[in-house]
Structures are given as C-alpha cells and as structure tokens.
Amino acid sequence: KSAASCGWATYSGTSMATPAVAGSAALVRDYFERGFYPSGTASAANAIQPSAALVKATLLVSTRDMTGSGTGGSRPNGNQGFGRVTLDDALWFSGDAAAQRLEVLDDRNSATGLTSAGQEQTFTFGLKAAGPIKLMLVWTDAPGNPSAAQALVNDLDLVVTTADGKTYTGNQGFSGGFTTQTSGAADRLNNKEAVFLPSALPGSVT
C-alpha cells in the first residue's frame, strides 16, 4: 500500500479457525519442547516431546466460552467446540499467578496404562484456595471401523470429585461454559472429556 495502515478485520468460519488453532498448537508444542513446563522458564533439562493428546488437551483447557450469533449456545457444542483458544489461559510462565499453574500427566507407558474394561486410574491434587479449575482427559484412540455406527474404540470416562464430595463427569452438566451440575452420566462418543468448574472449594480434588 502507498501508506501505512493498521486496524481490525472480522472473518469467520473454519477457514479462519483452522490456521489460528494450528498456529496455537505449534506454540504449545514449542512450550513443552523448550522446557517451559513446569518451571515457567525455558530449561533444556525439562524439555519433552508432547504427545498429540497433550497438545490437544492443552489447547482445550485454554478455551473460553463464546456467546453471540453462530456459537450454538453454551459449550461444548458442534458450532464452537469447547470455545475460543486463549493460550494465556493455559501456558504458565514464571511471574504468572501461582494459583493458575498448569499441571499435566502425559502417560505413554503401556505398562502402566489401562488394559481391560472396568479398570481405573486415580489422581489426587490439593487445591489451596477456592477458585475455578479445568480438568481435561484426552487420548489418541485407535482407528474405528468406517462402517461402525459409533467410531469410538476406547471409551474412557473422566470422573471428578471435589472436596465437598460432589462428583462431576466429563462433558456433562455444562451451562454458561462451565460444569455447573453434578452427574452420573457418561460421554460415550468423544475421546476428549472436560470438567470445567467455575469454583471449587479448597482441599483434595480426585
């Protein structure tokens, strides 16, 4: 152009969302490969090559619920998925608030994994103060049969119990972008399950 200019432009649709999320995925991979996790400062000693599932999970916990025309209502849904990717909500750096730290478990050891129906793995962490928490279970599933009515092969379930004894299940009870209702139902369709609590009491979360 003949003159310098800058400003905002609005575009929409998957043609815009796809490159934005692809670029975000590259930044997430770079974050782990440069060893920013868990200290928040780049360290070669902490460098890991994240699995595809870890990259996806990190993107998903960074999302914010969107409102307005075309969003299809509260997430998760077929219009906005889990919402708008906002990496600053997930990637933790030195100097950021300690209460907002990212915690990950990237388990690729088949010797410690689930091998038959009905097995469970339990993880507990301590929440020091009341506040919002996002928990995400993601796995890379085996290829399904193209002719199957339901393509999911391994059906894992995220179950979260908070310090007050309330139990929430993955992708159930969402309202206004957060898990607001306890549930005993399970998601039988997806290989990513979320429990996003707007506020949880301090204490153990399992």
Side-chain angles (χ1 to χ4, degrees):
K1 293 183 178 181
S2 59
S5 63
C6 62
W8 293 97
T10 300
Y11 297 94
S12 63
T14 54
S15 297
M16 300 297 109
T18 300
V21 174
S24 297
L27 291 174
V28 169
R29 177 170 291 281
D30 184 65
Y31 177 86
F32 288 110
E33 289 187 340
R34 291 176 62 189
F36 279 99
Y37 180 82
S39 69
T41 302
S43 168
N46 292 331
I48 63 170
Q49 291 195 350
S51 66
L54 176 55
V55 172
K56 183 183 290 186
T58 305
L59 290 171
L60 290 169
V61 296
S62 82
T63 55
R64 297 183 183 181
D65 187 46
M66 296 188 293
T67 59
S69 176
T71 59
S74 177
R75 65 175 175 180
N77 63 50
N79 287 39
Q80 65 166 302
F82 278 92
R84 174 169 55 92
V85 170
T86 310
L87 290 184
D88 194 41
D89 288 1
L91 302 184
W92 191 85
F93 293 93
S94 178
D96 290 347
Q100 300 174 347
R101 291 190 69 141
L102 174 70
E103 298 288 342
V104 304
L105 173 64
D106 193 16
D107 190 355
R108 287 175 278 184
N109 184 350
S110 60
T112 62
L114 304 176
T115 57
S116 61
Q119 289 184 321
E120 298 179 358
Q121 282 191 337
T122 302
F123 307 95
T124 300
F125 66 91
L127 193 61
K128 293 182 178 179
I133 55 173
K134 293 181 178 180
L135 300 106
M136 198 84 215
L137 168 67
V138 177
W139 67 98
T140 301
D141 205 17
N145 188 322
S147 62
Q150 182 173 316
L152 194 65
V153 175
N154 295 290
D155 183 10
L156 307 183
D157 296 312
L158 175 63
V159 181
V160 177
T161 302
T162 51
D164 54 0
K166 293 182 178 179
T167 297
Y168 305 86
T169 53
N171 299 346
Q172 307 296 320
F174 267 79
S175 178
F178 285 92
T179 309
T180 59
Q181 300 293 324
T182 59
S183 176
D187 184 318
R188 300 299 181 205
L189 298 175
N190 297 289
N191 66 338
K192 48 191 175 295
E193 297 198 7
V195 171
F196 292 169
L197 299 175
S199 183
L201 294 176
S204 294
V205 178
T206 301

